[in-house]
Amino acid sequence: MKKENYTVTGMSCAACALAVEKAVNKKEGIDATVNLATEKMSVSFDESKYDFDKIREIVEKSGYGLLEKVSEDEKVQMYQDKIKEMKNKLILAVIFSIPLLYISMGHHMLGAPVPSFLNHKAHPVNFALAQLVFVIPIIYAGRDFFIHGIKNIFRKAPNMDSLIAMGSGAALIYSIISTIHALIDPAHAHKYAMDLHYESAGIIVTLISLGKLLEARTKGQTSSAIKKLIGLQPKKAKIIENGVEKEVLIEKLKVGDIVVAKPGEKIAVDGVVVEGATSVDESMLTGESLPVTKNVGDKVVGGSINKNGSIRFEATEIGKNTMLSQIIKLVEEAQGSKAPISRMADTVAKYFVPIVMGIALITGISWYISGSGLVSALSFFISVLVIACPCALGLATPTSIMVGTGKGAENGILIKSGEALETTYKIKTVVFDKTGTITVGKPVLTDFKVYGNHAENELLQLAASVENHSEHPLAEAIVKGAKDKNIELKKYDKFRALPGYGIRATIDGKEIQIGNKKLMDNKKIDITISDKDYDVLSNQGKTPMYMSIDNELVGLIAVADVIKPTSKEAIDKLHKLGVKAIMLTGDNQKTAEYIAKQVGINTVVSEVLPYQKSEEVKKLQEKDEFVAMVGDGINDSPALAQANVGIAIGSGTDVAIESADIILIRNDLRDVANAIALSKATITNIKENLFWAFFYNVLGIPVAAGILYAFFNGPKLDPMIAAFAMSFSSVSVLLNALRLKLFKVK
């Protein structure tokens, strides 16, 4: 199955998004979700059956448009064009709404003077025709409501536009009929002229247009995180070509190009420093405020800012493969995804519009039968239709998800999906890997105990030669220890990594093994001679590893890792949130317990194999615990996938990052607690939005239907007030979602 993200055009409410989903998902071999706030469709499909053109055809038949590849510049331009178009239409509507209101209601409400030829008593026909003349441009400005709304009624997929079209259209048609009666029956022209609803038809369109413009502007603010990230991407770069400095477009860069970065300039793409030294501001990517020193051999990240030194670096990742591009992609996917909480709103929206249309018809008929007259019945009918548009309901969840994931990205917390953002606040247990997660992950060789007739440097040469191509941090420490002593490494044969045990290789016909007690036991190697040394080293917080040659123990290698400065504070923050911390590691028990004690973790599960890590997580889940796993290595990936929420350290392996739901770019464990706090704030915000959206409709529809007016002598809701209330409800939900921008990472 291929997965793609496309842009959907022409949507106006939750019912629109559901209509597109329904049209696509009823086809076999394709699965889609549509996000109203981002106007994105995430679709998985069978490549043998579908391509973009076929999917677009399905969407277009449902009444909407589909765009394939839209660049960020194109997105910005489309958004600006949309805003400009909406603004122009609103200006046109307002220009003609003012005289329409003045003519139709000025004499009633304000006693304002009206030209004698437009006097409703002396010249009722002129009075009616003038309103018709002024309402036509307004209807033209809001023509999209009528075109899309009516089409969707015939498609049996009514939406917000359908409600507006029916409400405003009913007022317009009734008024036109009354005007015709006034023309053909001059004797009763005054009576017909007083039954006009042109102002309702026009002002509804104007107010809804105003609401949609405000909504569009506010939605633009919710995606500011994406815009900030995109703004980090430089347009040009300087490269060295044939010894000469040359400026090229960023799109022209190739892997292997030598790129120049001078003080104050943005790093163009990801790479490795080959000349010079500097400090780099990576705060916009990682949230880390302090500049990071970069020397030859260090990695630099595209989008970061070179502070005070000139450097040259070799481009290693370009285009979509850079860290910044990957971050943007992850944020976009997260913002376009649906949280489980949105399903309730989707279900409601699915049936909401048809139900509202039914309520409106029942309301109108009931008032007419009760003897209130056609004009009054029509007013109630229109008010119900207009006030009940489900815009707020459709925006309640996705806007909060957009702002929440964006806020996370701004602070170095990449949340891959709306579901991950929603579920994180439920975490009660966090399971931590040790090496590279709680500790720095760059251990150093501290001790080498030799047994038998062997020289230490000889054994260190063999050990480093075997470990030379291993990616494990402990292996790197051994290799570095040998290189520090200028020991030349040998070539090996038949290398084999044994996950959870150690490694095995052959050098000069000798079988070398380095690993834990399980590895020795597997080969029935006697390790009794090393027991005392092993205990002493373990109690010192060091990690001892056994070394054997041809099934004979020859040495005990000890490596120590440094605890990250923020690890203890991170655990303290979790404890304050009422979250339990557990360490899960393949390291020996004594070393693990020593490290755990230093950071404040009380529960330790040690000497576990990679597949056992996921089993341990599963055991916790079986106790009805909501578990997060935090890790950085390949061996952590099964546990990350098994956990309710997998959290990967940003400097970890690609496999771990791929398996995780959340990525901590700053490599700071304090962000685990920050992610939980952000999730809680987002869910609270969503619940507020949903409450007000539901409350608005629960309260608004009965009022619009005239319940208060009929039984309690309360107010009668004018259609124009209903239009204002509907627009305000959508904007209020968006403004509430924007409050998440005030969330601060502590």
Side-chain angles (χ1 to χ4, degrees):
M1 297 286 280
K2 186 179 181 181
K3 188 175 181 180
E4 292 287 352
N5 289 300
Y6 302 129
T7 299
V8 183
T9 60
M11 295 191 299
S12 59
C13 67
C16 301
L18 288 168
V20 176
E21 277 188 12
K22 185 180 177 181
V24 177
N25 289 336
K26 71 179 182 181
K27 302 291 184 180
E28 190 177 346
I30 190 166
D31 182 62
T33 59
V34 179
N35 188 306
L36 174 64
T38 61
E39 298 180 342
K40 291 278 188 176
M41 180 173 75
S42 178
V43 57
S44 300
F45 56 93
D46 186 343
E47 288 183 88
S48 64
K49 293 182 179 179
Y50 300 97
D51 56 18
F52 171 73
D53 290 332
K54 288 183 179 179
I55 297 171
R56 181 179 60 189
E57 187 179 337
I58 297 168
V59 173
E60 286 178 347
K61 283 182 179 179
S62 68
Y64 304 90
L66 196 68
L67 301 176
E68 185 176 14
K69 293 180 180 178
V70 183
S71 69
E72 294 307 325
D73 289 340
E74 287 173 331
K75 286 179 186 175
V76 172
Q77 190 60 51
M78 284 171 61
Y79 174 73
Q80 290 174 345
D81 291 345
K82 182 180 178 181
I83 293 292
K84 186 179 179 180
E85 184 185 1
M86 293 173 76
K87 189 177 177 180
N88 290 338
K89 287 179 177 179
L90 177 62
I91 291 170
L92 176 64
V94 170
I95 288 172
F96 286 92
S97 291
I98 293 170
L100 175 63
L101 268 177
Y102 186 82
I103 293 169
S104 64
M105 303 183 71
H107 61 286
H108 287 306
M109 298 177 65
L110 304 172
V114 178
S116 59
F117 71 94
L118 293 177
N119 186 280
H120 65 287
K121 292 180 179 178
H123 301 282
V125 174
N126 291 351
F127 177 73
L129 289 174
Q131 292 182 61
L132 175 60
V133 169
F134 282 114
V135 84
I136 288 173
I138 302 172
I139 299 300
Y140 176 76
R143 61 191 178 279
D144 289 343
F145 296 134
F146 295 89
I147 294 169
H148 297 149
I150 294 168
K151 281 184 177 179
N152 282 320
I153 290 174
F154 285 106
R155 292 192 184 102
K156 298 179 182 179
N159 60 358
M160 184 204 81
D161 291 345
S162 303
L163 297 179
I164 295 168
M166 286 179 65
S168 184
L172 180 65
I173 292 169
Y174 179 84
S175 300
I176 290 173
I177 292 171
S178 293
T179 302
I180 294 170
H181 280 150
L183 284 167
I184 62 178
D185 187 6
H188 298 91
H190 178 262
K191 172 179 169 265
Y192 292 118
M194 297 311 295
D195 283 347
L196 301 176
H197 272 285
Y198 285 122
E199 78 284 353
S200 293
I203 302 306
I204 286 170
V205 170
T206 302
L207 288 172
I208 299 295
S209 299
L210 173 63
K212 297 302 285 182
L213 177 61
L214 293 174
E215 182 184 310
R217 286 187 178 277
T218 313
K219 279 168 70 176
Q221 296 179 45
T222 63
S223 59
S224 60
I226 291 285
K227 293 175 184 175
K228 285 181 182 177
L229 290 169
I230 292 166
L232 296 178
Q233 296 177 314
K235 302 294 182 184
K236 296 179 179 180
K238 296 184 183 77
I239 64 170
I240 303 298
E241 193 174 272
N242 299 322
V244 180
E245 192 174 298
K246 177 184 176 182
E247 190 173 68
V248 297
L249 292 171
I250 199 79
E251 295 83 7
K252 301 292 184 182
L253 281 178
K254 303 184 297 292
V255 173
D257 281 344
I258 303 300
V259 186
V260 179
K262 296 178 180 179
E265 293 181 345
K266 288 181 179 179
I267 305 294
V269 291
D270 298 358
V272 177
V273 179
V274 295
E275 185 181 318
T278 188
S279 60
V280 177
D281 181 0
E282 297 179 343
S283 59
M284 285 300 292
L285 291 167
T286 67
E288 182 57 57
S289 58
L290 295 175
V292 182
T293 302
K294 301 290 183 181
N295 295 300
V296 174
D298 290 334
K299 293 180 179 179
V300 289
V301 180
S304 56
I305 300 171
N306 185 26
K307 297 294 288 185
N308 53 20
S310 292
I311 58 169
R312 295 184 178 184
F313 64 93
E314 182 183 345
T316 56
E317 302 289 347
I318 61 173
K320 293 182 178 180
N321 295 323
T322 64
M323 179 185 284
L324 180 58
S325 294
Q326 291 297 313
I327 290 173
I328 292 171
K329 183 183 177 185
L330 284 173
V331 175
E332 282 185 325
E333 288 179 351
Q335 292 187 340
S337 65
K338 283 190 176 183
I341 198 171
S342 67
R343 292 168 191 155
M344 177 181 61
D346 286 349
T347 303
V348 173
K350 182 179 179 181
Y351 302 103
F352 192 75
V353 174
I355 290 171
V356 167
M357 291 169 72
I359 293 172
L361 284 169
I362 293 169
T363 298
I365 293 168
S366 298
W367 278 105
Y368 182 74
I369 293 173
S370 69
S372 296
L374 182 59
V375 175
S376 183
L378 183 66
S379 178
F380 285 116
F381 170 76
I382 295 168
S383 295
V384 172
L385 285 175
V386 173
I387 202 169
C389 293
C391 295
L393 197 59
L395 293 167
T397 300
T399 49
S400 297
I401 294 292
M402 283 178 71
V403 180
T405 53
K407 194 67 184 178
E410 288 176 13
N411 291 279
I413 304 169
L414 287 185
I415 302 166
K416 286 186 175 182
S417 67
E419 183 172 1
L421 182 61
E422 179 182 336
T423 54
T424 299
Y425 84 99
K426 300 176 184 176
I427 292 170
K428 292 300 177 186
T429 302
V430 179
V431 179
F432 291 93
D433 172 51
K434 180 179 75 69
T435 306
T437 302
I438 291 175
T439 64
V440 174
K442 291 185 178 180
V444 294
L445 180 65
T446 58
D447 302 88
F448 203 132
K449 303 291 183 181
V450 178
Y451 307 111
N453 297 319
H454 299 278
E456 181 179 324
N457 282 359
E458 176 195 349
L459 292 180
L460 182 56
Q461 182 187 40
L462 293 173
S465 299
V466 172
E467 298 277 15
N468 192 31
H469 286 85
S470 173
E471 295 181 353
H472 199 284
L474 300 182
E476 292 177 11
I478 296 171
V479 174
K480 188 177 184 300
K483 288 181 177 179
D484 289 345
K485 291 186 175 184
N486 296 316
I487 295 175
E488 188 177 342
L489 304 186
K490 293 186 172 186
K491 292 183 179 179
Y492 61 78
D493 299 312
K494 300 179 181 177
F495 176 87
R496 186 182 176 189
L498 305 166
Y501 291 88
I503 58 170
R504 182 183 296 146
T506 303
I507 298 178
D508 298 334
K510 299 175 181 178
E511 186 182 74
I512 315 289
Q513 291 191 130
I514 303 171
N516 56 22
K517 186 175 181 296
K518 291 178 183 178
L519 180 62
M520 299 295 110
D521 290 344
N522 188 256
K523 286 283 188 173
K524 295 182 172 55
I525 298 171
D526 185 9
I527 56 173
T528 308
I529 192 173
S530 67
D531 286 351
K532 186 177 178 181
D533 291 331
Y534 189 97
D535 289 342
V536 171
L537 294 169
S538 296
N539 289 332
Q540 294 172 350
K542 299 172 182 177
T543 301
M545 292 173 284
Y546 299 97
M547 179 178 177
S548 71
I549 298 178
D550 292 334
N551 295 332
E552 180 186 349
L553 184 71
V554 295
L556 194 64
I557 309 169
V559 171
D561 197 359
V562 181
I563 297 170
K564 290 179 179 178
T566 58
S567 291
K568 188 177 188 316
E569 186 182 346
I571 304 302
D572 289 342
K573 287 184 72 173
L574 287 174
H575 287 160
K576 287 178 182 177
L577 290 173
V579 178
K580 182 169 69 175
I582 297 174
M583 181 189 288
L584 186 62
T585 178
D587 212 340
N588 70 83
Q589 186 177 348
K590 289 185 177 179
T591 301
E593 287 178 348
Y594 178 85
I595 298 293
K597 187 178 179 182
Q598 299 302 304
V599 298
I601 294 177
N602 299 318
T603 306
V604 178
V605 182
S606 59
E607 300 180 27
V608 292
L609 299 175
Y611 75 89
Q612 292 175 324
K613 284 189 176 183
S614 63
E615 289 179 356
E616 291 294 332
V617 170
K618 193 174 181 179
K619 286 178 185 177
L620 291 169
Q621 291 172 322
E622 288 171 351
K623 297 176 184 177
D624 293 327
E625 292 192 34
F626 208 86
V627 182
M629 172 71 194
V630 185
D632 72 319
I634 293 174
N635 64 328
D636 297 321
S637 54
L640 289 168
Q642 174 63 43
N644 300 97
V645 178
I647 303 175
I649 303 297
S651 60
T653 64
D654 291 342
V655 177
I657 291 171
E658 187 67 29
S659 303
D661 303 297
I662 297 174
I663 303 165
L664 307 181
I665 298 293
R666 298 191 298 185
N667 305 322
D668 190 337
L669 287 188
R670 290 176 297 184
D671 284 338
V672 176
N674 290 330
I676 295 172
L678 177 60
S679 175
K680 285 183 177 179
T682 304
I683 294 305
T684 299
N685 193 269
I686 289 173
K687 288 178 178 178
E688 289 170 352
N689 283 347
L690 287 172
F691 171 79
W692 286 113
F694 279 117
F695 180 77
Y696 160 79
N697 281 299
V698 169
L699 183 66
I701 292 175
V703 172
I707 299 296
L708 294 181
Y709 179 73
F711 297 103
F712 305 101
N713 200 27
K716 180 181 176 183
L717 192 65
D718 188 274
M720 290 182 288
I721 303 298
F724 175 80
M726 192 283 281
S727 298
F728 178 76
S729 70
S730 298
V731 175
S732 64
V733 164
L734 288 165
L735 289 173
N736 187 54
L738 286 174
R739 287 196 307 110
L740 278 172
K741 287 193 170 193
L742 301 175
F743 177 86
K744 292 184 179 179
V745 170
K746 298 178 182 178

